[in-house]
Amino acid sequence: MPRLIATHEVDDVAHWSASPKREEVFGSVATDIHTFVDPNRPNQVGLSMEVADMAAFQAVMESEAGAEAMRYDGVHPDTIVVYVET
């Protein structure tokens, strides 16, 4: 199962860190989710997770539920960068 790392900017790191939406929406396609904050850039955050089915993960990312979770969490979608373990 590949591990992904995703980085992006958010409006409010404390809100994003405490949000239940990540697990609610992505818990069906990702496991072992960990969050990270860049101590030098206050609105830059990251996630690592294991994803068994990349097509299912992408479908969630493109779904209305995924978009709503990103809006709720204050994610700036245009800043998302995803890295896949090789």
Side-chain angles (χ1 to χ4, degrees):
M1 185 171 341
R3 177 162 290 280
L4 301 183
I5 296 173
T7 63
H8 51 78
E9 293 177 9
V10 294
D11 294 329
D12 180 339
V13 171
H15 173 79
W16 176 84
S17 293
S19 175
K21 293 294 183 183
R22 191 172 20 263
E23 187 64 35
E24 289 173 14
V25 174
F26 293 99
S28 65
V29 295
T31 59
D32 196 27
I33 301 171
H34 296 274
T35 60
F36 303 86
V37 176
D38 183 335
N40 298 313
R41 297 186 314 185
N43 288 34
Q44 185 72 28
V45 297
L47 298 164
S48 71
M49 64 193 84
E50 292 186 356
V51 175
D53 183 341
M54 289 300 294
F57 173 78
Q58 192 61 37
V60 170
M61 287 289 291
E62 296 172 0
S63 72
E64 183 54 38
E68 175 56 33
M70 285 188 261
R71 280 190 296 275
Y72 178 86
D73 286 350
V75 171
H76 301 191
D78 59 322
T79 66
I80 297 172
V81 177
V82 177
Y83 304 89
V84 180
E85 181 179 45
T86 58

Coordinates of all heavy atoms in Angstrom, one line a residue:
M1 N 0.8 -1.2 0.0 CA 0.0 0.0 0.0 C 0.9 1.2 0.0 O 1.7 1.4 0.9 CB -0.9 0.0 1.2 CG -1.9 1.0 1.3 SD -3.1 0.9 2.6 CE -3.2 -0.7 3.2
P2 N 0.8 2.1 -1.0 CA 1.7 3.3 -1.1 C 1.3 4.3 0.0 O 0.1 4.4 0.3 CB 1.5 3.8 -2.5 CG 0.1 3.3 -2.9 CD -0.1 2.0 -2.2
R3 N 2.3 5.0 0.4 CA 2.1 6.2 1.3 C 2.1 7.4 0.5 O 2.9 7.6 -0.4 CB 3.2 6.2 2.4 CG 3.1 7.4 3.3 CD 3.9 7.3 4.6 NE 3.3 6.3 5.5 CZ 2.3 6.5 6.3 NH1 1.7 7.6 6.3 NH2 1.9 5.5 7.1
L4 N 1.2 8.3 0.8 CA 1.1 9.6 0.1 C 1.5 10.7 1.1 O 1.2 10.5 2.3 CB -0.3 9.9 -0.3 CG -1.0 9.0 -1.3 CD1 -2.4 9.6 -1.6 CD2 -0.2 8.8 -2.5
I5 N 2.0 11.7 0.6 CA 2.2 13.0 1.4 C 1.5 14.1 0.6 O 1.7 14.2 -0.6 CB 3.7 13.3 1.5 CG1 4.4 12.2 2.4 CG2 3.9 14.7 2.2 CD1 5.9 12.4 2.5
A6 N 0.7 14.8 1.2 CA 0.0 15.9 0.6 C 0.3 17.2 1.4 O 0.2 17.2 2.6 CB -1.5 15.7 0.5
T7 N 0.7 18.3 0.7 CA 0.9 19.6 1.3 C -0.1 20.6 0.7 O -0.5 20.4 -0.4 CB 2.3 20.0 1.1 OG1 2.6 20.2 -0.2 CG2 3.3 19.0 1.7
H8 N -0.4 21.6 1.5 CA -1.3 22.7 1.1 C -1.4 23.8 2.1 O -0.9 23.6 3.2 CB -2.7 22.1 0.7 CG -3.3 21.3 1.8 ND1 -3.9 21.9 3.0 CD2 -3.5 20.0 2.0 CE1 -4.4 21.0 3.7 NE2 -4.1 19.8 3.2
E9 N -1.9 24.9 1.7 CA -2.1 26.0 2.6 C -3.6 25.9 3.2 O -4.5 25.4 2.5 CB -1.9 27.3 1.9 CG -0.5 27.6 1.5 CD -0.4 28.8 0.7 OE1 -1.3 29.7 0.6 OE2 0.7 29.0 0.1
V10 N -3.7 26.5 4.4 CA -5.0 26.5 5.0 C -5.2 27.9 5.6 O -4.3 28.7 5.9 CB -5.2 25.5 6.1 CG1 -5.2 24.1 5.6 CG2 -4.1 25.6 7.2
D11 N -6.5 28.3 5.9 CA -6.8 29.6 6.5 C -6.4 29.6 8.0 O -5.9 30.6 8.4 CB -8.3 29.8 6.4 CG -8.8 30.0 5.0 OD1 -8.0 30.5 4.1 OD2 -10.0 29.7 4.7
D12 N -6.7 28.5 8.7 CA -6.5 28.5 10.1 C -6.0 27.1 10.5 O -6.7 26.1 10.5 CB -7.8 28.8 10.8 CG -7.8 28.8 12.3 OD1 -6.9 28.2 12.9 OD2 -8.7 29.3 12.9
V13 N -4.7 27.1 10.9 CA -4.1 25.8 11.2 C -4.7 25.1 12.4 O -4.9 23.9 12.4 CB -2.6 26.0 11.5 CG1 -1.9 24.7 12.0 CG2 -1.9 26.4 10.2
A14 N -5.1 25.8 13.5 CA -5.7 25.2 14.6 C -7.1 24.6 14.2 O -7.4 23.4 14.7 CB -5.9 26.2 15.7
H15 N -7.9 25.2 13.4 CA -9.1 24.7 13.0 C -8.9 23.4 12.1 O -9.5 22.4 12.3 CB -9.9 25.7 12.2 CG -11.2 25.1 11.5 ND1 -12.3 24.9 12.2 CD2 -11.4 24.7 10.3 CE1 -13.2 24.4 11.4 NE2 -12.7 24.3 10.2
W16 N -8.0 23.5 11.2 CA -7.6 22.4 10.3 C -7.1 21.2 11.1 O -7.6 20.1 10.9 CB -6.6 22.8 9.3 CG -6.1 21.7 8.4 CD1 -6.7 21.3 7.2 CD2 -4.9 20.9 8.6 NE1 -5.9 20.3 6.7 CE2 -4.9 20.0 7.5 CE3 -3.9 20.9 9.6 CZ2 -3.8 19.1 7.4 CZ3 -2.9 19.9 9.4 CH2 -2.9 19.1 8.4
S17 N -6.3 21.4 12.1 CA -5.7 20.4 12.9 C -6.8 19.6 13.7 O -6.7 18.4 13.8 CB -4.7 20.9 13.9 OG -3.5 21.4 13.2
A18 N -7.8 20.4 14.2 CA -8.8 19.8 15.0 C -10.0 19.2 14.2 O -10.9 18.6 14.8 CB -9.3 20.8 16.0
S19 N -10.0 19.4 13.0 CA -11.2 19.1 12.2 C -11.5 17.6 12.1 O -10.5 16.8 11.8 CB -11.0 19.6 10.7 OG -12.1 19.2 9.9
P20 N -12.7 17.1 12.3 CA -13.1 15.7 12.1 C -13.3 15.4 10.6 O -13.4 14.2 10.3 CB -14.4 15.6 12.9 CG -15.0 17.0 12.7 CD -13.8 18.0 12.7
K21 N -13.4 16.3 9.7 CA -13.7 16.1 8.3 C -12.7 15.2 7.6 O -13.1 14.4 6.8 CB -13.9 17.4 7.6 CG -15.0 18.2 8.0 CD -16.3 17.6 7.6 CE -17.5 18.4 8.0 NZ -18.7 17.8 7.8
R22 N -11.5 15.3 7.9 CA -10.4 14.5 7.3 C -10.7 13.0 7.4 O -10.8 12.3 6.5 CB -9.1 14.9 7.9 CG -7.9 14.4 7.3 CD -6.6 15.0 7.9 NE -6.7 15.5 9.3 CZ -6.9 16.8 9.6 NH1 -7.0 17.7 8.6 NH2 -7.0 17.2 10.8
E23 N -11.0 12.6 8.6 CA -11.3 11.2 8.9 C -12.6 10.8 8.3 O -12.8 9.7 7.8 CB -11.2 10.9 10.4 CG -11.4 9.5 10.8 CD -10.2 8.6 10.3 OE1 -9.1 9.1 10.2 OE2 -10.5 7.4 9.9
E24 N -13.6 11.7 8.5 CA -15.0 11.4 8.0 C -15.0 11.1 6.5 O -15.6 10.2 6.0 CB -15.9 12.5 8.3 CG -16.3 12.7 9.7 CD -17.1 14.0 10.0 OE1 -17.6 14.6 9.0 OE2 -17.2 14.3 11.2
V25 N -14.3 12.0 5.7 CA -14.3 11.9 4.3 C -13.3 11.0 3.7 O -13.5 10.2 2.8 CB -14.2 13.3 3.7 CG1 -14.1 13.2 2.1 CG2 -15.4 14.2 4.1
F26 N -12.0 11.0 4.2 CA -11.0 10.2 3.6 C -10.7 8.9 4.3 O -9.9 8.1 3.8 CB -9.7 11.1 3.6 CG -9.8 12.2 2.6 CD1 -10.1 13.5 3.1 CD2 -9.6 12.0 1.3 CE1 -10.2 14.6 2.2 CE2 -9.8 13.1 0.4 CZ -10.1 14.3 0.8
G27 N -11.4 8.7 5.5 CA -11.2 7.4 6.2 C -11.5 6.2 5.5 O -11.0 5.1 5.7
S28 N -12.4 6.3 4.5 CA -12.8 5.2 3.7 C -11.8 4.8 2.6 O -11.8 3.7 2.1 CB -14.2 5.4 3.0 OG -14.1 6.5 2.1
V29 N -10.9 5.7 2.3 CA -9.9 5.4 1.3 C -8.5 5.5 1.7 O -7.5 5.3 1.0 CB -10.1 6.3 0.0 CG1 -11.4 6.0 -0.6 CG2 -10.0 7.8 0.4
A30 N -8.3 6.0 3.0 CA -6.9 6.2 3.5 C -6.8 5.7 5.0 O -7.8 5.8 5.7 CB -6.5 7.7 3.4
T31 N -5.7 5.2 5.3 CA -5.4 4.8 6.7 C -4.1 5.4 7.2 O -3.4 5.9 6.4 CB -5.3 3.2 6.8 OG1 -4.2 2.8 6.0 CG2 -6.6 2.5 6.4
D32 N -3.9 5.3 8.5 CA -2.7 5.8 9.1 C -2.4 7.2 8.7 O -1.3 7.6 8.3 CB -1.5 4.9 8.7 CG -0.3 5.1 9.7 OD1 -0.5 5.5 10.8 OD2 0.8 4.8 9.2
I33 N -3.4 8.1 8.9 CA -3.4 9.5 8.5 C -2.7 10.3 9.6 O -3.0 10.2 10.8 CB -4.8 10.1 8.3 CG1 -5.5 9.3 7.1 CG2 -4.7 11.6 7.9 CD1 -6.9 9.7 7.0
H34 N -1.6 11.0 9.3 CA -0.9 11.9 10.2 C -0.8 13.3 9.6 O -0.7 13.5 8.4 CB 0.6 11.4 10.4 CG 0.6 10.0 11.0 ND1 0.6 9.8 12.3 CD2 0.7 8.8 10.4 CE1 0.7 8.5 12.6 NE2 0.7 7.9 11.4
T35 N -0.9 14.3 10.5 CA -0.9 15.7 10.1 C 0.4 16.3 10.5 O 1.0 15.9 11.5 CB -2.1 16.4 10.7 OG1 -2.0 16.4 12.2 CG2 -3.4 15.9 10.3
F36 N 0.8 17.3 9.8 CA 2.1 18.1 10.0 C 1.8 19.5 9.8 O 1.0 19.9 9.0 CB 3.1 17.6 9.0 CG 3.4 16.1 9.1 CD1 2.7 15.2 8.4 CD2 4.4 15.6 9.9 CE1 2.9 13.8 8.5 CE2 4.7 14.3 10.0 CZ 3.9 13.4 9.3
V37 N 2.6 20.4 10.5 CA 2.6 21.8 10.3 C 4.0 22.3 10.1 O 4.9 21.9 10.7 CB 2.0 22.5 11.6 CG1 2.0 24.0 11.4 CG2 0.5 22.0 11.8
D38 N 4.1 23.2 9.1 CA 5.4 23.8 8.8 C 5.7 24.9 9.9 O 4.9 25.9 9.9 CB 5.4 24.4 7.4 CG 6.8 24.9 7.0 OD1 7.6 25.3 7.9 OD2 7.0 25.0 5.8
P39 N 6.6 24.8 10.8 CA 6.8 25.8 11.8 C 7.3 27.1 11.3 O 7.2 28.1 12.0 CB 7.9 25.1 12.7 CG 8.6 24.1 11.9 CD 7.6 23.7 10.9
N40 N 7.8 27.1 10.0 CA 8.3 28.4 9.5 C 7.4 29.1 8.6 O 7.6 30.2 8.2 CB 9.6 28.1 8.7 CG 10.7 27.6 9.6 OD1 11.0 28.1 10.7 ND2 11.3 26.5 9.2
R41 N 6.3 28.4 8.2 CA 5.3 29.0 7.3 C 3.9 28.7 8.0 O 3.4 27.5 7.9 CB 5.3 28.4 5.9 CG 6.6 28.8 5.2 CD 6.7 28.4 3.8 NE 6.3 27.0 3.6 CZ 6.4 26.4 2.4 NH1 6.9 27.1 1.4 NH2 6.0 25.2 2.2
P42 N 3.3 29.6 8.7 CA 2.2 29.3 9.6 C 1.0 28.7 9.0 O 0.2 28.2 9.7 CB 1.9 30.7 10.2 CG 2.6 31.7 9.4 CD 3.7 31.0 8.7
N43 N 0.8 28.9 7.7 CA -0.4 28.3 7.1 C -0.1 27.2 6.1 O -1.0 26.7 5.4 CB -1.2 29.4 6.3 CG -1.9 30.4 7.2 OD1 -1.4 30.7 8.3 ND2 -3.0 30.9 6.9
Q44 N 1.1 26.6 6.2 CA 1.4 25.5 5.3 C 1.4 24.2 6.2 O 2.0 24.1 7.2 CB 2.9 25.6 4.8 CG 3.3 24.6 3.8 CD 2.6 24.7 2.5 OE1 2.2 25.8 2.0 NE2 2.5 23.6 1.8
V45 N 0.6 23.3 5.7 CA 0.4 22.0 6.4 C 0.6 20.8 5.5 O 0.7 21.0 4.3 CB -1.0 21.9 7.1 CG1 -1.2 23.0 8.1 CG2 -2.1 22.0 6.0
G46 N 0.6 19.6 6.1 CA 0.8 18.4 5.3 C 0.1 17.2 6.0 O -0.2 17.3 7.2
L47 N -0.1 16.2 5.2 CA -0.7 15.0 5.6 C 0.2 13.8 5.1 O 0.7 13.9 4.0 CB -2.1 14.8 5.1 CG -3.1 15.8 5.4 CD1 -4.3 15.6 4.4 CD2 -3.6 15.5 6.8
S48 N 0.3 12.8 5.8 CA 0.8 11.5 5.2 C -0.3 10.5 5.5 O -1.1 10.5 6.5 CB 2.1 11.1 5.8 OG 1.9 10.6 7.1
M49 N -0.5 9.5 4.6 CA -1.5 8.5 4.7 C -1.1 7.3 3.8 O -0.4 7.5 2.8 CB -2.9 9.1 4.3 CG -2.9 9.5 2.8 SD -4.4 10.5 2.5 CE -3.8 12.1 3.0
E50 N -1.7 6.2 4.1 CA -1.6 5.0 3.2 C -2.9 4.9 2.4 O -4.0 5.0 3.0 CB -1.3 3.8 4.1 CG 0.1 3.8 4.7 CD 0.4 2.5 5.4 OE1 -0.4 1.6 5.5 OE2 1.5 2.5 5.9
V51 N -2.7 4.6 1.1 CA -3.9 4.5 0.2 C -3.7 3.3 -0.6 O -2.8 3.1 -1.3 CB -3.9 5.8 -0.7 CG1 -5.1 5.6 -1.7 CG2 -4.1 7.0 0.1
A52 N -4.7 2.4 -0.4 CA -4.7 1.1 -1.2 C -5.2 1.3 -2.6 O -4.7 0.6 -3.5 CB -5.5 0.1 -0.4
D53 N -6.1 2.1 -2.8 CA -6.7 2.3 -4.2 C -6.6 3.8 -4.6 O -7.4 4.6 -4.1 CB -8.2 1.8 -4.1 CG -8.9 1.9 -5.4 OD1 -8.4 2.6 -6.3 OD2 -9.9 1.2 -5.5
M54 N -5.7 4.1 -5.4 CA -5.5 5.4 -5.8 C -6.7 6.0 -6.6 O -7.0 7.2 -6.5 CB -4.2 5.5 -6.7 CG -2.9 5.4 -5.9 SD -2.7 6.6 -4.6 CE -2.5 8.1 -5.5
A55 N -7.4 5.2 -7.4 CA -8.5 5.7 -8.1 C -9.6 6.1 -7.2 O -10.3 7.1 -7.3 CB -9.0 4.6 -9.1
A56 N -9.8 5.3 -6.1 CA -10.8 5.6 -5.1 C -10.5 6.9 -4.3 O -11.3 7.8 -4.1 CB -11.0 4.5 -4.1
F57 N -9.2 7.1 -4.0 CA -8.7 8.3 -3.4 C -9.0 9.5 -4.3 O -9.5 10.5 -3.8 CB -7.2 8.2 -3.1 CG -6.6 9.4 -2.5 CD1 -6.8 9.8 -1.2 CD2 -5.9 10.2 -3.4 CE1 -6.2 11.0 -0.7 CE2 -5.3 11.4 -2.9 CZ -5.5 11.8 -1.6
Q58 N -8.6 9.4 -5.5 CA -8.8 10.5 -6.5 C -10.3 10.8 -6.6 O -10.7 12.0 -6.7 CB -8.2 10.2 -7.8 CG -8.1 11.3 -8.8 CD -7.3 12.5 -8.2 OE1 -6.3 12.3 -7.6 NE2 -7.7 13.7 -8.4
A59 N -11.2 9.8 -6.6 CA -12.6 10.0 -6.7 C -13.1 10.8 -5.5 O -13.9 11.7 -5.7 CB -13.3 8.7 -6.8
V60 N -12.6 10.5 -4.3 CA -13.0 11.3 -3.1 C -12.5 12.7 -3.3 O -13.2 13.6 -2.9 CB -12.5 10.6 -1.9 CG1 -12.7 11.5 -0.6 CG2 -13.2 9.3 -1.6
M61 N -11.2 12.9 -3.7 CA -10.7 14.2 -3.9 C -11.5 15.1 -4.8 O -11.7 16.3 -4.6 CB -9.3 14.2 -4.4 CG -8.2 13.7 -3.4 SD -7.9 14.9 -2.2 CE -7.0 16.1 -3.1
E62 N -12.1 14.5 -5.8 CA -12.9 15.2 -6.8 C -14.4 15.2 -6.5 O -15.1 15.9 -7.2 CB -12.7 14.5 -8.2 CG -11.2 14.7 -8.7 CD -10.9 13.9 -9.9 OE1 -11.8 13.2 -10.5 OE2 -9.8 13.9 -10.4
S63 N -14.8 14.6 -5.4 CA -16.2 14.5 -5.1 C -16.7 15.8 -4.4 O -15.9 16.6 -3.9 CB -16.5 13.3 -4.2 OG -16.0 13.6 -2.9
E64 N -18.0 15.9 -4.4 CA -18.6 17.1 -3.6 C -18.3 17.0 -2.1 O -18.0 18.0 -1.5 CB -20.1 17.2 -3.8 CG -20.7 18.4 -3.2 CD -20.1 19.7 -3.5 OE1 -19.7 19.9 -4.7 OE2 -20.0 20.6 -2.6
A65 N -18.3 15.8 -1.6 CA -17.9 15.6 -0.2 C -16.5 16.0 0.1 O -16.2 16.6 1.1 CB -18.1 14.1 0.2
G66 N -15.6 15.7 -0.8 CA -14.2 16.1 -0.7 C -14.1 17.6 -0.8 O -13.4 18.2 0.0
A67 N -14.8 18.2 -1.7 CA -14.8 19.7 -1.8 C -15.3 20.4 -0.6 O -14.8 21.4 -0.1 CB -15.5 20.1 -3.1
E68 N -16.4 19.8 -0.1 CA -17.0 20.4 1.1 C -16.1 20.3 2.3 O -16.0 21.2 3.1 CB -18.4 19.7 1.4 CG -19.0 20.1 2.7 CD -19.2 21.6 2.9 OE1 -19.5 22.3 1.8 OE2 -19.1 22.2 4.0
A69 N -15.4 19.1 2.5 CA -14.5 18.9 3.5 C -13.3 20.0 3.4 O -12.9 20.5 4.4 CB -13.9 17.5 3.5
M70 N -12.8 20.2 2.2 CA -11.8 21.2 2.0 C -12.3 22.6 2.4 O -11.5 23.3 3.0 CB -11.2 21.1 0.6 CG -10.4 19.9 0.4 SD -9.5 19.9 -1.2 CE -10.6 18.8 -2.2
R71 N -13.5 22.9 2.0 CA -14.0 24.2 2.3 C -14.2 24.4 3.8 O -13.7 25.4 4.4 CB -15.4 24.4 1.7 CG -15.3 24.9 0.2 CD -16.7 25.3 -0.3 NE -17.7 24.2 -0.3 CZ -17.8 23.4 -1.3 NH1 -17.0 23.4 -2.4 NH2 -18.7 22.4 -1.3
Y72 N -14.7 23.3 4.5 CA -14.9 23.4 5.9 C -13.5 23.5 6.7 O -13.4 24.2 7.6 CB -15.6 22.1 6.4 CG -15.7 22.0 7.9 CD1 -16.8 22.6 8.5 CD2 -14.8 21.3 8.7 CE1 -17.0 22.5 9.9 CE2 -14.9 21.3 10.1 CZ -16.0 21.8 10.7 OH -16.2 21.8 12.0
D73 N -12.5 22.8 6.1 CA -11.2 22.9 6.8 C -10.4 24.1 6.4 O -9.3 24.3 6.9 CB -10.4 21.6 6.4 CG -10.9 20.4 7.1 OD1 -11.7 20.5 8.1 OD2 -10.4 19.3 6.8
G74 N -10.9 24.9 5.4 CA -10.1 26.1 5.0 C -8.9 25.8 4.1 O -8.0 26.6 4.1
V75 N -9.0 24.7 3.4 CA -7.9 24.3 2.5 C -8.0 25.1 1.3 O -9.0 25.4 0.7 CB -8.0 22.8 2.1 CG1 -7.1 22.4 1.0 CG2 -7.9 21.9 3.4
H76 N -6.8 25.6 0.8 CA -6.7 26.3 -0.5 C -6.4 25.2 -1.6 O -5.2 24.8 -1.7 CB -5.5 27.3 -0.4 CG -5.7 28.3 0.6 ND1 -4.9 29.5 0.7 CD2 -6.6 28.5 1.7 CE1 -5.3 30.2 1.7 NE2 -6.3 29.6 2.3
P77 N -7.4 24.8 -2.3 CA -7.2 23.7 -3.2 C -6.1 23.9 -4.3 O -5.5 23.0 -4.7 CB -8.6 23.5 -3.9 CG -9.6 24.2 -3.0 CD -8.8 25.3 -2.3
D78 N -5.9 25.2 -4.7 CA -4.9 25.5 -5.7 C -3.5 25.3 -5.2 O -2.6 25.3 -6.0 CB -5.1 26.9 -6.2 CG -5.0 27.9 -5.2 OD1 -5.5 27.7 -4.0 OD2 -4.5 29.0 -5.5
T79 N -3.3 25.0 -3.9 CA -2.0 24.8 -3.3 C -1.7 23.4 -3.0 O -0.6 23.1 -2.6 CB -1.8 25.7 -2.1 OG1 -2.7 25.2 -1.0 CG2 -2.1 27.1 -2.3
I80 N -2.6 22.5 -3.3 CA -2.4 21.0 -3.0 C -1.3 20.4 -3.9 O -1.4 20.5 -5.1 CB -3.7 20.2 -3.1 CG1 -4.7 20.8 -2.1 CG2 -3.5 18.7 -2.9 CD1 -6.1 20.1 -2.3
V81 N -0.4 19.8 -3.3 CA 0.6 19.0 -4.0 C 0.6 17.6 -3.3 O 0.7 17.5 -2.1 CB 2.0 19.7 -3.8 CG1 3.1 18.8 -4.5 CG2 2.0 21.0 -4.4
V82 N 0.5 16.6 -4.1 CA 0.5 15.2 -3.6 C 1.8 14.5 -4.1 O 2.1 14.5 -5.3 CB -0.8 14.4 -4.1 CG1 -0.7 13.0 -3.6 CG2 -2.0 15.1 -3.6
Y83 N 2.4 13.8 -3.2 CA 3.6 13.0 -3.5 C 3.2 11.5 -3.2 O 2.6 11.2 -2.2 CB 4.8 13.4 -2.6 CG 5.2 14.8 -2.7 CD1 4.6 15.8 -1.9 CD2 6.1 15.2 -3.7 CE1 5.0 17.1 -2.0 CE2 6.5 16.6 -3.8 CZ 5.9 17.5 -2.9 OH 6.3 18.8 -3.0
V84 N 3.7 10.6 -4.1 CA 3.4 9.2 -3.9 C 4.7 8.5 -3.7 O 5.7 8.7 -4.4 CB 2.7 8.6 -5.2 CG1 2.4 7.1 -5.0 CG2 1.4 9.4 -5.5
E85 N 4.7 7.6 -2.7 CA 5.9 6.8 -2.3 C 6.3 6.0 -3.5 O 5.4 5.4 -4.1 CB 5.6 6.0 -1.1 CG 6.7 5.1 -0.6 CD 6.3 4.3 0.6 OE1 5.3 3.8 0.7 OE2 7.2 4.3 1.5
T86 N 7.6 5.8 -3.8 CA 8.0 5.0 -4.9 C 8.7 3.8 -4.3 O 9.1 3.7 -3.2 CB 9.0 5.8 -5.8 OG1 10.1 6.2 -5.0 CG2 8.3 6.9 -6.4

